Amino acid sequence: MMRVSVCAHYGGGRANSAPGPHAGRGSRGARGEARGKGERSGRAACGTSTSGTEGGFATGMMCSGGSGASRARRGAGVRGVRRMTRTTTSAVVPGATDKKSVGGKGKTKVSFDELDPEHNTSFGSSDEGVKYDIVQITAPVVEDMEEMRLNLRDVIGRKNPLLLAAADQIFGAGGKRLRPVLVFLVARATAELMKMENITDRQRRLAEITEMIHTASLVHDDVLDDCDTRRGKDTIHTLYGTRVAILAGDFLFAQSSWFLANLDNLEVIKLISQVIADFADGEISQAGALFNCNVTLDEYLLKSHHKTASLIAASCKSASVFSECDESVKNDMYEYGKHLGLAFQVVDDILDFTQTEEQLGKPQGQDLASGNLTAPTIFALQKRPELRALIDSQFENEGDLQKAIDIVTEYGIEEARKLAKREGDIALASLRQLPDSESKRSLVGMVGYVLERIY
């Protein structure tokens, strides 16, 4: 079994980028009616993936108090050695305290559930006793996140009484909300680099915009895929009907666009606007390649970039724009978000084969059943020609789908793990210009957290 070593490569050269510009929502559980008497059919519960992992959103008020704004400790500068972000306890971020990363006092409480139901709070690595704890990783920005969540719930509920119940479901406690977490972490890490007193109101608004866009895409996806549940919770259209779900998604897209325009920064407006176009491109390319055994790894990565990594990359870069970083740092933050997003998507695609139905919240191999060929399947096709015949027939015979899942599990998972690790390594290398700080260590730890799910 491959050992995962999550280190910040300070001073390391920039790794080559993988194909594909962005990525948005993660692999979703399509209805995927498998053919054959013994196979599953009907409405499937959706699991979010890379881009769609987390299913919550954020839209807070731009100038809402500064409850998460404390002064970050000054880092010791870029070290010439590799700093591990692993410990032998549940803490993932060595040196992280119970105080806010920017001078907050006292202990901070995690007021929202940090994990999806099917995942554990910490993940042991291949090194005995080592764990990555998402609560510790998000500790530097936990107050920022709670303030954002409350703001977002108020925005949608106050303006639209019809959507008030949906707002409580969407913005209530629960979910990791990794995208705004990353915005806040990059904002604080680059603020440290630029010796800023605090993060800006525009960075706070950016986190809200990011979560609004992500959540809007999930709400609409659930309608398109006819999903009853997402991560163990009833979807908005299941609870309140398709009309309310579509209106809620439309409102979030519209409100995020208005907030984006009011950031008054053309560079950021272009970055985030491209994400929405990428979402559509990703959906169209996936729909046009169902059951296509000739799909290449590059095409898969491009689609994953559009559906998952694009939003993460653009929001990370945008956070550094508002810290007034130079071009090389902004590009590095884009690369970090892009390759973390790609790693996340590959990991989710692996888990679609390796986790149980109970863990996934949907049938195992649902992507394959619906004809969405992901990294593990692409690698398995290179080794086992008989898999092509099963896919070409769209699993017409009873037992065909399970046979295909078994082939992918045996011949495609290991190569997919290596791909996820390569993407994670590129993300780590992109942090080399940031000074040491709690926020930087959390950015490093986030890579370990993503990769540990596949071991």
Side-chain angles (χ1 to χ4, degrees):
M1 182 174 292
M2 179 167 39
R3 298 168 71 86
V4 177
S5 178
V6 179
C7 310
H9 300 285
Y10 300 135
R14 184 170 179 175
N16 293 329
S17 284
H22 328 339
R25 300 159 323 246
S27 59
R28 76 202 82 249
R31 293 186 69 178
E33 295 189 13
R35 308 193 178 181
K37 300 175 183 176
E39 305 300 344
R40 248 174 235 289
S41 64
R43 303 172 82 182
C46 278
T48 50
S49 65
T50 298
S51 139
T53 9
E54 293 101 49
F57 40 132
T59 7
M61 304 304 295
M62 184 164 195
C63 301
S64 54
S67 81
S70 37
R71 180 190 209 45
R73 295 196 314 262
R74 297 299 176 199
V78 178
R79 306 237 194 287
V81 296
R82 303 165 80 184
R83 176 184 294 274
M84 302 298 294
T85 62
R86 306 178 300 181
T87 68
T88 53
T89 69
S90 61
V92 199
V93 187
T97 67
D98 287 329
K99 297 182 180 179
K100 284 190 59 181
S101 73
V102 201
K105 295 182 180 180
K107 294 185 178 180
T108 58
K109 269 184 162 183
V110 177
S111 52
F112 54 89
D113 179 18
E114 301 293 349
L115 290 174
D116 287 334
E118 76 274 22
H119 293 145
N120 295 322
T121 300
S122 56
F123 302 88
S125 78
S126 52
D127 291 326
E128 187 177 355
V130 176
K131 295 180 182 179
Y132 293 93
D133 186 349
I134 194 66
V135 175
Q136 288 294 325
I137 290 172
T138 58
V141 298
V142 66
E143 290 184 22
D144 297 327
M145 288 294 297
E146 179 64 5
E147 178 184 336
M148 180 205 71
R149 183 183 70 81
L150 294 174
N151 285 341
L152 287 177
R153 186 176 58 181
D154 289 345
V155 165
I156 189 171
R158 185 178 66 251
K159 286 193 174 184
N160 299 274
L162 173 67
L163 303 179
L164 182 59
D168 285 336
Q169 174 76 2
I170 293 168
F171 297 119
K176 301 185 294 294
R177 297 182 173 89
L178 292 186
R179 285 154 191 79
V181 164
L182 289 168
V183 170
F184 282 126
L185 289 174
V186 170
R188 293 197 173 279
T190 53
E192 190 83 14
L193 173 68
M194 303 306 292
K195 303 192 183 325
M196 295 166 55
E197 289 294 317
N198 199 358
I199 64 174
T200 68
D201 287 336
R202 291 195 294 178
Q203 286 167 323
R204 293 183 184 282
R205 178 63 91 192
L206 174 66
E208 296 167 358
I209 290 169
T210 299
E211 187 65 0
M212 289 176 83
I213 291 173
H214 171 61
T215 305
S217 72
L218 296 184
V219 172
H220 281 176
D221 283 352
D222 290 340
V223 173
L224 289 172
D225 295 337
D226 199 13
C227 295
D228 292 325
T229 61
R230 179 176 287 278
R231 296 307 194 200
K233 294 176 64 177
D234 288 337
T235 56
I236 297 302
H237 86 277
T238 299
L239 290 172
Y240 307 109
T242 299
R243 182 169 177 266
V244 170
I246 292 175
L247 288 173
D250 287 349
F251 173 80
L252 288 170
F253 274 128
Q255 192 68 53
S256 65
S257 297
W258 173 246
F259 285 170
L260 180 61
N262 281 279
L263 290 178
D264 199 25
N265 184 291
L266 186 58
E267 182 177 7
V268 171
I269 291 172
K270 287 181 176 179
L271 281 166
I272 303 299
S273 296
Q274 181 62 48
V275 170
I276 299 175
D278 288 340
F279 280 172
D281 286 344
E283 283 298 324
I284 293 169
S285 65
Q286 177 170 300
L290 296 179
F291 297 102
N292 178 10
C293 293
N294 295 318
V295 66
T296 67
L297 186 62
D298 284 349
E299 289 169 339
Y300 160 81
L301 289 172
L302 181 60
K303 178 201 71 176
S304 297
H305 176 266
H306 288 340
K307 294 184 62 180
T308 302
S310 177
L311 178 59
I312 300 174
S315 57
C316 286
K317 182 174 181 178
S318 296
S320 67
V321 169
F322 290 131
S323 291
E324 300 184 359
C325 296
D326 63 34
E327 207 61 35
S328 66
V329 174
K330 290 190 291 186
N331 289 337
D332 276 351
M333 294 304 97
Y334 185 92
E335 292 299 301
Y336 171 81
K338 171 184 172 180
H339 293 285
L340 177 64
L342 289 174
F344 198 102
Q345 185 61 61
V346 174
V347 167
D348 266 14
D349 293 340
I350 291 170
L351 295 181
D352 192 48
F353 291 97
T354 60
Q355 287 193 326
T356 65
E357 181 173 343
E358 182 180 359
Q359 290 173 310
L360 289 168
K362 61 175 182 175
Q364 187 186 48
Q366 189 66 40
D367 283 335
L368 180 59
S370 61
N372 179 25
L373 307 189
T374 57
T377 301
I378 293 171
F379 284 122
L381 278 167
Q382 296 170 0
K383 297 179 179 179
R384 305 300 297 185
E386 65 268 29
L387 179 59
R388 176 182 289 268
L390 295 170
I391 295 172
D392 284 342
S393 71
Q394 298 187 24
F395 316 111
E396 61 182 355
N397 298 317
E398 183 177 354
D400 280 359
L401 177 59
Q402 187 57 53
K403 188 182 301 183
I405 290 173
D406 291 343
I407 292 172
V408 173
T409 301
E410 184 173 357
Y411 295 100
I413 298 301
E414 190 57 37
E415 287 302 314
R417 281 176 175 157
K418 292 176 183 177
L419 174 62
K421 186 178 184 302
R422 286 197 298 272
E423 295 296 337
D425 286 343
I426 296 172
L428 290 172
S430 301
L431 298 173
R432 67 191 187 280
Q433 296 193 68
L434 298 180
D436 182 41
S437 67
E438 282 184 319
S439 294
K440 177 178 180 174
R441 292 194 290 274
S442 287
L443 290 170
V444 173
M446 191 68 78
V447 178
Y449 166 74
V450 167
L451 294 177
E452 283 295 332
R453 296 188 299 157
I454 53 176
Y455 292 97

